[in-house]
Amino acid sequence: MLGLIAIFILGNMISALSSTYVVLMGSRIMTAVVSGVLTALSMSIANTVIPKEKRSTIIASIFAGFTIANVMGVPLGTMIGQWSNWHMTFWLTALLGSVAFIISMFVLPKRLSGENGSLSDQLSLLKQPKVILAFLIPIFTIAGTYTIYTFITPILENKLGVPTKYIAIVLLIYGFFSIFSNVLAGKIAQGNGLSKLRYIFIIQAVILLSFYFTMSSLWLGLLSILLMAVILYAVNATIQLYFMDLAEEYSPSAKDFASSLTPVAVNVGIALGAAIGGFVITSGSLEYLALAAATLALIASAITFMSYRRQSNDPH
């Protein structure tokens, strides 16, 4: 992890010094890959060193850390870029990476043992029906949100009548409300999280469907947006722990690989939601985004019902 953080710092320094688009894009890809691996490893380490009864809270806290970083990082980076230049934004990121490196030297547990596994051992986890079903759950719930959120700016401007100069403020508030979603995720993950998620996704479907009726009202529309933020990451902690437990059951050497499945599924869901939203807009209007989004959330609920039933009936 220290080596990966060092590469992250180096990548941002290269970005700051880059003078061509190719170099800049290459350095961004490098830091993106490293960040993804660090996410998986942080989850795996937390799962290893934290007592089982505290795992849900800690995993939710890690997800909250990434959410807070996004909420604070984007406006901070934009402000630094406007105040100085975009090079300075990357120098600041490299500095923050250095702070993370120093802190990690002292707080990361030493002498952790892991199990070696081949690529085939890692991928064998994907042969398990439980894993495939679990992988689909965050894809569809996140896709439901991003079917709408991808087009949040035209919704705010054209439907709710929010002036352009206030769009950034609304998005910042949305980001802060999404932090509470991680707290909710930790509460859901305590006990049998899958059992609760079956109904959480139905609530999500109702919230997303409400956009169909609230897009013509400023305050009701904003309320729908904030409720969407609160429910956004409700799936994360439960699914992350479920993946880790499945890896422990079927392929202990694939625990690190299992830790990466939730972030991968989330990103697939974002892409799917954006694609479906784009299709809906080209063939209809913004209001119909709500119908598509609610349908995706209901699909997530149906898959969760199937996953929960399989978990309850099959001890293996």
Side-chain angles (χ1 to χ4, degrees), residues 258-281:
S259 298
S260 70
L261 292 178
T262 300
V264 171
V266 167
N267 283 294
V268 172
I270 291 172
L272 177 63
I276 292 175
F279 175 79
V280 170
I281 285 183

Side-chain angles (χ1 to χ4, degrees), residues 8-44:
F8 175 85
I9 297 169
L10 177 62
N12 281 283
M13 293 174 65
I14 294 173
S15 296
L17 295 170
S18 62
S19 58
T20 68
Y21 181 79
V22 173
V23 174
L24 178 61
M25 180 58 69
S27 63
R28 302 316 301 146
I29 291 174
M30 178 172 70
T31 54
V33 171
V34 166
S35 298
V37 178
L38 281 169
T39 300
L41 287 178
S42 64
M43 299 292 182
S44 181

Side-chain angles (χ1 to χ4, degrees), residues 198-211:
R198 297 176 297 172
Y199 304 104
I200 292 294
F201 295 144
I202 295 176
I203 296 173
Q204 181 194 20
V206 173
I207 292 171
L208 296 176
L209 182 62
S210 72
F211 276 96

Side-chain angles (χ1 to χ4, degrees), residues 27 59 78 119 141 226 276 290 299:
S27 63
I59 294 296
T78 301
L119 180 61
T141 179
L226 296 182
I276 292 175
I299 292 174

Side-chain angles (χ1 to χ4, degrees), residues 27 69 85 93 99 114 119 126 146 156 159 239 276 287 300 304-305:
S27 63
N85 54 59
T93 308
V99 173
L119 180 61
L126 297 179
Y146 273 84
L156 289 171
K159 290 295 182 180
I239 290 299
I276 292 175
E287 288 89 347
T304 308
F305 268 96

Side-chain angles (χ1 to χ4, degrees), residues 93-109:
T93 308
L95 175 62
L96 293 174
S98 300
V99 173
F101 183 90
I102 294 171
I103 293 174
S104 298
M105 287 180 62
F106 293 99
V107 303
L108 286 176

